[in-house]
Amino acid sequence: MSNFFKPADFKDFDEAPIPQPLPDGSYEPVLTKEDLKICSRRMWVMDTISYAYATQNAPCATFAAYYALRKIYGGDQDAFNTAILNQLDCVFNATPPVCGLLLGAGLALEDKGHLNGMQAENDLKIGLMGPLSGIGDVFIWVLPLTILGSIAGYMAMEGNPVGILLWLAIWMAVLAWRWQNYVQGYDMGAQLITGLADKISILTDAASILGLTVVGSLIYSAVAIYTPLTFTFGDVALPIQTGVLDAIFPNILSVIATVVVYRLIKKGVKLNWIILGMIVISCVCAAFGILGVAPAA
Amino acid sequence: MSVNAIQFLLIVLLSGFRALDQYSTQLFPFQHALMCWLVGIILGDPATGLIVGGTIQLMSMGALGLGGSSAPDYGMAGMVATVLACITGTGDVSVGLAVGVAVAMLYVQLDVLFKVYNSWVFSVVRKHAVAREYNKMLRSFFLSHLYLFLQGALPMALVLAFGQPVIDAILGFMPAWFTTGLNVAAGMLPITGFAMLLTFMPVNKFYAFLILGYVLSAYLKLPVLAIALLGAVVAVEYFQLKSNTTTAVAANGAAQNGDELEDE
């Protein structure tokens, strides 16, 4: 068990060599299959447990990559510290059982480029986490839960646990796969950078385009700010949300709030204060009926 | 029936483990029927466990907390419902289920609080990372695990000790503005994630694509996967266009030096 979550050949800073760049400025990749499997297992222990609104799942990804990064940067403590803080700060969220594919690909970029590969790694993660989750959520959660869950539920209501056991067996197969999925991700990432070395900044821009498109769509679809206020002129009632705001611009409150929060972060306001402020504003506005929960469509 | 000490301990541990497992190891994610069955087995009434579990499992369809959203916690609901149904022992599961659903709703609020708590855990982790205390950093991650275990275990201990009146009391204690307020906040809080994300990206250079994504979603109502694919189309074309230009420039430079440059 000792090397289930930690590599057997782990070296501390003072024993590990300081990595030397190759003539072209890149580095000799050091991660082995075993190192990547350890990342997968560490990700499994974390999954999505560190989820916070600000950085989402980035801390889990950091915990998973810890020993891989230690191996990449060897005795170079400053570079390792930069890398670990980058992992913590780079917002990440994807369907946990499949996110190893993307995080493994990112590690491949960092393994080859070290700190120079970091920006490309971040952009790759941010750009592809939405699409990966779109596919992952369907194949890992929605489909199995709908199909296996209804079978298990119906059979259980009739007093038969076979459906439950069937679901359990299929899920164990998924678990066995996820315990090594960084390996496949790493291979994909390594292929991506071969022959692309000169074009990495263009690739970064292209990934940013993809990322911004997805973020733009999420500002509409994943944020819900609703006001139940209604103007009344005599007999005519005009609901502000559907009659005024949505007529100007759908979900305009979400856009305004996003711009405000973005500016606050840029100005250096601490995220925890922003979050606390949001909760206070929500409670106050809810108490006076200014904001509410949208009625189900 | 009454619950003996061993049953009490086993159910509290199972409840803590389930809450933890849902976010962490995911050995049995969303498998509410299984958990209720196990509670039934512990209490010596597997049949009731299966019936309650099956009902809760079907009720929970579609209640997935995906992409960081908060969903009613039907797992906790199922276990509480099973306990109450087994304790009352009348074979009538409806009271247990009603309380269970109230618990599920209550836990939506707890889920928001948990994610806010995680912001604090993150600040601890980051502080240790900056100070280069990596062993402390790695240990700090497990503050989240601890919290979730307690979030599952402690309320279950209360339910086992005091039963149904406790649930009614808690629900009655929370004022409406507070529960509504937390719901409103849950809808608003994902913004902090997107805004943070945007500070990492070249917004000034490519802000137009934010508008594109928003329009595709808000006006054309496309699902996120379709929008991502359209974004990929633009990204691929941009990449090819730009890398051809770079190659052409490089080719010009090479030609001036009198070298031959072959296409890749």
Side-chain angles (χ1 to χ4, degrees), chain B residues 27-249:
Chain B
L27 288 170
F28 316 109
F30 303 108
Q31 301 188 4
H32 313 315
L34 172 70
M35 288 297 151
C36 296
W37 184 38
L38 289 177
V39 170
I41 291 172
I42 294 170
L43 289 174
D45 191 356
T48 303
L50 278 174
I51 294 169
V52 175
T55 315
I56 288 280
Q57 185 76 59
L58 294 178
M59 284 166 72
S60 72
M61 289 291 153
L64 292 158
L66 297 181
S69 59
S70 298
D73 190 342
Y74 283 102
M76 188 70 193
M79 293 180 80
V80 169
T82 310
V83 167
L84 292 177
C86 289
I87 290 177
T88 50
T90 54
D92 179 14
V93 298
S94 65
V95 177
L97 281 173
V99 177
V101 172
V103 170
M105 296 305 160
L106 191 67
Y107 264 69
V108 182
Q109 329 295 348
L110 286 184
D111 188 64
V112 177
L113 290 184
F114 170 63
K115 286 166 182 171
V116 173
Y117 165 84
N118 267 345
S119 304
W120 173 76
V121 175
F122 177 76
S123 69
V124 173
V125 164
R126 200 176 189 289
K127 196 182 73 197
H128 287 309
V130 170
R132 306 193 177 188
E133 301 163 332
Y134 298 121
N135 286 329
K136 280 185 185 168
M137 180 192 88
L138 290 179
R139 277 199 297 273
S140 307
F141 280 105
F142 291 96
L143 287 169
S144 300
H145 294 72
L146 179 71
Y147 180 99
L148 267 191
F149 182 84
L150 295 177
Q151 181 178 300
L154 292 182
M156 184 54 93
L158 289 176
V159 168
L160 284 166
F162 303 108
Q164 200 181 344
V166 172
I167 306 284
D168 296 339
I170 294 172
L171 284 175
F173 174 74
M174 280 172 60
W177 60 264
F178 188 63
T179 44
T180 318
L182 282 182
N183 273 321
V184 171
M188 210 187 285
L189 285 171
I191 288 176
T192 55
F194 303 140
M196 192 74 188
L197 198 58
L198 289 175
T199 60
F200 281 98
M201 302 179 89
V203 176
N204 291 334
K205 194 171 173 189
F206 292 123
Y207 67 90
F209 292 99
L210 274 176
I211 302 174
L212 175 70
Y214 194 86
V215 168
L216 290 174
S217 176
Y219 291 96
L220 300 179
K221 309 285 180 203
L222 291 179
V224 68
L225 187 57
I227 294 169
L229 287 172
L230 284 173
V233 168
V234 180
V236 167
E237 283 304 311
Y238 176 89
F239 180 75
Q240 289 182 344
L241 197 71
K242 277 282 180 180
S243 43
N244 286 342
T245 320
T246 327
T247 316
V249 170

Side-chain angles (χ1 to χ4, degrees), chain A residues 56-85:
Chain A
Q56 306 199 343
N57 237 6
C60 297
T62 312
F63 185 89
Y66 180 77
Y67 286 108
L69 292 175
R70 283 293 291 262
K71 188 161 186 180
I72 290 174
Y73 293 103
D76 191 346
Q77 294 208 36
D78 293 332
F80 174 75
N81 196 252
T82 311
I84 205 94
L85 288 176

Side-chain angles (χ1 to χ4, degrees), chain A residues 261-271 273-274, chain B residues 199:
Chain A
V261 173
Y262 176 75
R263 295 248 176 260
L264 288 176
I265 294 175
K266 278 274 180 180
K267 277 190 177 164
V269 179
K270 281 258 162 48
L271 254 164
W273 287 114
I274 297 176
Chain B
T199 60

Side-chain angles (χ1 to χ4, degrees), chain A residues 44-45 47-49 51 53 59 63 66 78 81 89 141 168 171 205-206 210 213 217 220 224 250 255 271-272 282, chain B residues 23-27 31 118-119 126 129 132 134 141 145 187 193 196 200 205 213-214 217 219 221 228 235 238:
Chain A
W44 165 68
V45 174
D47 200 90
T48 182
I49 199 155
Y51 190 98
Y53 288 106
F63 185 89
Y66 180 77
D78 293 332
N81 196 252
D89 290 339
W141 297 134
L168 206 54
W171 183 252
D205 277 356
L210 172 55
T213 311
S217 79
Y220 172 77
V255 178
L271 254 164
N272 284 355
S282 298
Chain B
Y23 276 90
S24 169
T25 43
Q26 296 198 326
L27 288 170
Q31 301 188 4
N118 267 345
S119 304
R126 200 176 189 289
R132 306 193 177 188
Y134 298 121
F141 280 105
H145 294 72
M196 192 74 188
F200 281 98
K205 194 171 173 189
Y214 194 86
S217 176
Y219 291 96
K221 309 285 180 203
Y238 176 89

Side-chain angles (χ1 to χ4, degrees), chain A residues 111-182:
Chain A
D111 197 10
K112 180 83 181 148
H114 284 210
L115 296 181
N116 298 327
M118 224 163 59
Q119 188 58 43
E121 181 189 12
N122 292 351
D123 288 324
L124 182 78
K125 277 156 68 175
I126 292 169
L128 293 183
M129 66 189 199
L132 182 70
S133 303
I135 300 164
D137 283 348
V138 170
F139 283 96
I140 294 290
W141 297 134
V142 180
L143 282 182
L145 212 72
T146 318
I147 298 166
L148 295 170
S150 23
I151 296 172
Y154 280 121
M155 291 182 83
M157 283 179 78
E158 290 167 1
N160 187 345
V162 168
I164 295 175
L165 297 174
L166 175 74
W167 189 1
L168 206 54
I170 292 177
W171 183 252
M172 288 301 139
V174 175
L175 276 179
W177 172 79
R178 85 173 279 194
W179 279 351
Q180 50 80 58
N181 59 11
Y182 271 67

